[in-house]
Amino acid sequence: MTDFLATAYRTHAAGSLRAADAGNPVSVAGWVHRRRDLGGIVFLDLRDREGIVQVSFDPSWTPAEVLAEARRLGAEDVVRVDGTVFPRIHGQLNEALETGEIEVRATGLEVLTRAEPLPIQVDYAADEELPGEDLRLRYRYLDLRRPGLLRNFVIRHRAAQAARAYLSQQGFLEVETPLLTRPTPEGARDFLVPSRMHPGEFYALPQSPQIYKQLLMVSGFDRYFQIAKCLRDEDLRADRQPEFTQIDAEMAFVDEDDVFRVAEGLMAAIFREVAGVELETPFPQITFAESMARYGTDKPDLRYGVEIVDVTEVLQDADFRIFQGVRGTEQRIRGLRVPGGARLSRRELDELQEVAKRGGAAGALWVKRGDDGALAGQFAKGVDEGRANAFYEATGLAAGDLFAAVVGHFRGANEGGGVEVDGALDELRRHLARKLDLVDTTRHAWLWVTEFPVFDWDAEHERLVYAHNPFSMPEDGAVQAVLDATREGTPGAEAARALYAMGLRSRAYDAVYNGNELASGSVRIHLPAVQQAVFTALGMDPDEVRAKFGFLLEAYRYGAPPHAGFAFGFDRLVMLLAGAGSLRDVVAFPKTTSARALFEEAPTAIADAQLRDVHVQVRAPGA
RNA sequence: GGGGGCGUAGCUUAGCGGCUCAAAGCGCCGGACUGUCUCUCCGGAGAUCGCGGGUUCGAAUCCCGCCGCUCUCGCCA
């Protein structure tokens, strides 16, 4: 299967040898993974990209000088071995190795290069701790020799190839877009590149190919895709790198359903190719508003079913002061029925306070129903029998269940602009599902979240900000509302708030997988007047728009087709496919959380002459 | 920018109510061993305890500062 790896140095890949090769003379080449010297005979575990095979040196088939040389081998020496494939005798198979049914009986050995003792090992026992990540990044080329890590890059490659094959077959053209571009006016910080030829001017590295792909639609390319590098100069996390990769695509003459069909097909192809999993398509769809109401987040994990229940009407008159405080306000009492949650210990229930606070609530309120069906817990005393029955009816709370509630303002019912606590229920939901093992890890729970808001409200600056993407087309009715509101220029604080309160929706969507936002996209604005109006609503005056987006609006004047697209976070997708815990495990040469490259030591100070070339003078921090 | 955690032989860790505490496993070096596969057995080398300062008769251990890594909030689609 890997005969194509046959070269001047070898006839086979060592790791691809199988029982069917028995009897064949072979040459293999690779690294000394491990050596077992029993005195008279020597075993060698030889490793190459395809795996590990045992080589045996024995006086009955190995010349004495070859055996002597084998005894001098050290870990990670690079060697070439000539020999013959033999089946292992009964009782000596190694089920841990894919090559475990055979071994190579060596007749020749050539040391290609010697390895000095390594600063970090390649071979680890199952229970052995890996070295610190900083060391492994410093010696990344050694860490990448670990079969477990190498495997992630095989997965990554196959995912990329599956994406290319599928999209090509669907009529998409792969087009590269510039890395040296102009700064992005909104969103994340840009990485900047000084221009030598134009003193004082700078390029920016692209945060995404967004504008370019829309221009390609104007050009009539019809369908575009690219596996694109995106760069953002923001603080890092375990699942965030300063440079990352997207599967970026855009289509002309389409609506949401056309995009969803392609994106679903793309994911199905990747999961089929890489994981052997048949995804169920089409993916379910829910609106942003519904997702917030049912799960408290715009990226719900649907591998378990716990949903938010509003119990305001049932409980606001209970004999419990916190509940009574909601009457006559916009506050609501909402919570989660957690099956089997009654078995949590007092200490575990106390933890819920912190969990809820993380989500912005003042705390969590809980009751549980014991095996005898009786209600116990924080607000149990305030709930008389009649009210309890209404409560059970509303929530489905059964014996053995827990109900965890939060009181406060919720999105969609918050005209007064109070602090929203939807996130607290999201935190509680995820925390309790994990704690009680409610997550069905065999499921692949994809969904589309649609109809994101056009605007969010920036309370601090009393202005509108875009919720999803400033290029997303508002829904039919919302287009007119935006045009009306911006006829006289940017609306004032009062009018802006009113516009926000209308709850306008856009034709923007996310693809969510097991609680991870993996893709984002929208039907784009292709009408210059509408795009202009959205920019105006966001507070840009006409001159500013002209300076920042003039080329896009100009392009739209000459016949832009309706278009829509998406971008999948490729690194994150591969991370999930590979079961890796960190993005750094699926990026060949990642940066640390302080955005350093430990192996090549970037970033680095630059000599004055080189700075002079690009007309840049370094200013000390704070100066 | 804020907060938490970590930093002891090449690697992973123990030691951290201060004064025989610098220890173990892996790796490395030397020796023995003819069927191992985390080979086994015997012996050995290897550490200015992240850096700088302070407290103390005495600091890996206590205090302050800095650096690095990491998690996280802000930020980020």
Side-chain angles (χ1 to χ4, degrees):
Chain A
M1 206 163 78
T2 48
D3 284 352
F4 54 87
L5 289 174
T7 64
Y9 281 85
R10 63 185 172 200
T11 59
H12 294 74
S16 67
L17 293 172
R18 294 291 182 274
D21 296 301
N24 293 332
V26 296
S27 296
V28 290
W31 284 262
V32 175
H33 192 65
R34 186 190 289 281
R35 186 179 52 120
R36 291 176 293 280
D37 183 347
L38 276 63
I41 63 174
V42 174
F43 294 101
L44 195 68
D45 286 344
L46 186 71
R47 186 191 73 243
D48 64 13
R49 195 189 76 191
E50 301 301 308
I52 293 172
V53 72
Q54 172 167 285
V55 179
S56 62
F57 297 83
D58 184 303
S60 51
W61 56 77
T62 307
E65 66 277 13
V66 172
L67 212 158
E69 184 70 29
R71 302 196 66 178
R72 284 193 292 271
L73 291 175
E76 300 301 311
D77 285 342
V78 181
V79 299
R80 191 171 76 94
V81 172
D82 300 318
T84 305
V85 177
F86 271 81
R88 296 203 192 185
I89 63 173
H90 184 68
Q92 291 186 344
L93 308 185
N94 185 343
E95 290 177 8
L97 292 182
E98 290 196 69
T99 61
E101 291 183 17
I102 52 96
E103 65 176 4
V104 175
R105 296 190 173 178
T107 51
L109 171 67
E110 182 185 359
V111 176
L112 300 173
T113 59
R114 292 278 184 193
E116 293 178 24
L118 273 58
I120 61 172
Q121 293 167 229
V122 173
D123 180 30
Y124 297 92
D127 59 349
E128 206 169 349
E129 291 278 335
L130 293 177
E133 194 164 28
D134 49 336
L135 257 185
R136 291 191 288 120
L137 289 174
R138 166 70 183 81
Y139 298 101
R140 185 65 170 175
Y141 50 93
L142 296 180
D143 202 35
L144 288 171
R145 286 183 187 173
R146 279 166 42 221
L149 199 47
L150 174 63
R151 173 188 153 270
N152 293 348
F153 292 90
V154 175
I155 288 171
R156 188 176 176 120
H157 165 79
R158 287 166 60 192
Q161 290 308 306
R164 285 207 164 86
Y166 176 80
L167 291 171
S168 302
Q169 177 214 325
Q170 296 293 318
F172 286 77
L173 300 180
E174 183 169 6
V175 181
E176 291 152 277
T177 55
L179 280 181
L180 295 173
T181 180
R182 59 174 291 133
T184 319
E186 303 281 331
R189 264 185 288 265
D190 290 309
F191 282 103
L192 297 173
V193 179
S195 164
R196 175 183 57 82
M197 301 176 75
H198 304 284
E201 296 181 24
F202 291 80
Y203 301 95
L205 303 177
Q207 294 183 23
S208 78
Q210 180 70 34
I211 305 271
Y212 291 111
K213 69 176 177 179
Q214 295 192 238
L215 292 175
L216 290 172
M217 293 301 101
V218 176
S219 298
F221 278 46
D222 202 279
R223 294 187 176 196
Y224 140 94
F225 88 98
Q226 181 181 195
I227 298 182
K229 269 290 173 73
C230 303
L231 301 107
R232 293 174 192 164
D233 188 5
E234 294 292 348
D235 286 2
L236 276 43
R237 290 285 189 285
D239 61 351
R240 214 191 289 164
Q241 282 278 304
E243 45 182 316
F244 59 98
T245 306
Q246 289 185 339
I247 306 176
D248 189 51
E250 198 77 6
M251 312 162 71
F253 306 112
V254 292
D255 66 9
E256 286 87 340
D257 286 334
D258 295 304
V259 174
F260 291 172
R261 204 162 58 231
V262 165
E264 286 160 1
L266 173 63
M267 286 305 110
I270 290 174
F271 273 66
R272 187 180 304 126
E273 169 63 25
V274 175
V277 168
E278 281 301 324
L279 292 183
E280 275 181 46
T281 56
F283 300 163
Q285 301 176 19
I286 70 174
T287 65
F288 173 85
E290 192 183 348
S291 182
M292 293 303 293
R294 288 169 64 184
Y295 306 105
T297 175
D298 60 359
K299 46 176 181 171
D301 188 343
L302 299 191
R303 287 176 299 173
Y304 50 96
V306 179
E307 293 194 22
I308 295 171
V309 188
D310 191 312
V311 290
T312 312
E313 273 65 42
V314 182
L315 292 181
Q316 65 181 350
D317 294 322
D319 184 16
F320 192 72
R321 197 182 312 155
I322 297 175
F323 289 163
Q324 292 177 350
V326 310
R327 201 169 350 149
T329 73
E330 289 185 322
Q331 295 186 82
R332 309 293 297 179
I333 309 166
R334 291 182 182 175
L336 303 159
R337 180 185 74 90
V338 187
R343 69 178 147 91
L344 290 176
S345 69
R346 180 59 199 237
R347 183 198 189 89
E348 288 169 318
L349 290 165
D350 284 343
E351 272 176 27
L352 301 183
Q353 302 304 326
E354 284 312 308
V355 174
K357 283 177 187 166
R358 241 187 286 143
L365 297 163
W366 54 266
V367 285
K368 57 187 185 182
R369 234 184 139 181
D371 292 332
D372 55 358
L375 202 59
Q378 293 179 311
F379 58 83
K381 281 207 182 71
V383 181
D384 58 40
E385 198 169 323
R387 199 179 301 286
N389 286 330
F391 178 54
Y392 299 152
E393 184 149 340
T395 58
L397 196 71
D401 292 351
L402 174 80
F403 192 80
V406 157
V407 176
H409 294 277
F410 288 85
R411 183 151 189 141
N414 188 20
E415 305 267 327
V419 175
E420 295 176 354
V421 299
D422 302 79
L425 289 175
D426 174 41
E427 295 276 358
L428 285 169
R429 182 172 177 269
R430 288 186 290 127
H431 175 84
L432 288 165
R434 189 158 25 86
K435 198 98 195 170
L436 291 163
D437 212 19
L438 301 178
V439 184
D440 179 355
T441 54
T442 66
R443 288 195 57 194
H444 299 274
W446 282 93
L447 78 155
W448 291 104
V449 178
T450 64
E451 299 180 29
F452 274 76
V454 177
F455 300 116
D456 271 338
W457 183 247
D458 177 351
E460 193 182 335
H461 300 100
E462 295 267 292
R463 66 187 190 104
L464 297 167
V465 292
Y466 63 87
H468 197 262
N469 175 316
F471 309 112
S472 299
M473 180 76 91
E475 289 189 328
D476 290 350
V479 169
Q480 197 55 51
V482 176
L483 289 171
D484 290 345
T486 55
R487 198 141 284 151
E488 307 289 320
T490 299
E494 193 81 357
R497 191 195 284 273
L499 189 59
Y500 170 66
M502 291 175 73
L504 304 182
R505 296 169 182 198
S506 74
R507 298 175 68 182
Y509 39 79
D510 282 353
V512 176
Y513 171 67
N514 291 353
N516 298 279
E517 177 202 321
L518 276 192
S520 190
S522 61
V523 174
R524 319 297 180 187
I525 298 168
H526 64 284
L527 304 167
V530 176
Q531 186 68 72
Q532 176 72 252
V534 169
F535 287 146
T536 303
L538 293 170
M540 292 185 223
D541 63 51
D543 286 341
E544 195 180 355
V545 171
R546 218 175 346 268
K548 291 175 173 172
F549 292 108
F551 60 103
L552 182 67
L553 292 175
E554 181 190 75
Y556 282 179
R557 299 208 319 253
Y558 304 118
H563 60 285
F566 60 81
F568 275 90
F570 187 60
D571 310 272
R572 205 171 289 191
L573 177 66
V574 174
M575 179 175 106
L576 294 170
L577 283 167
S582 162
L583 222 50
R584 293 185 289 269
D585 287 342
V586 296
V587 174
F589 299 100
K591 304 285 189 285
T592 68
T593 41
S594 58
R596 279 192 181 281
L598 294 183
F599 169 59
E600 67 272 40
E601 295 184 348
T604 178
I606 293 292
D608 194 52
Q610 208 174 344
L611 287 175
R612 215 173 270 273
D613 267 354
V614 293
H615 324 287
V616 165
Q617 193 166 14
V618 173
R619 185 196 301 230

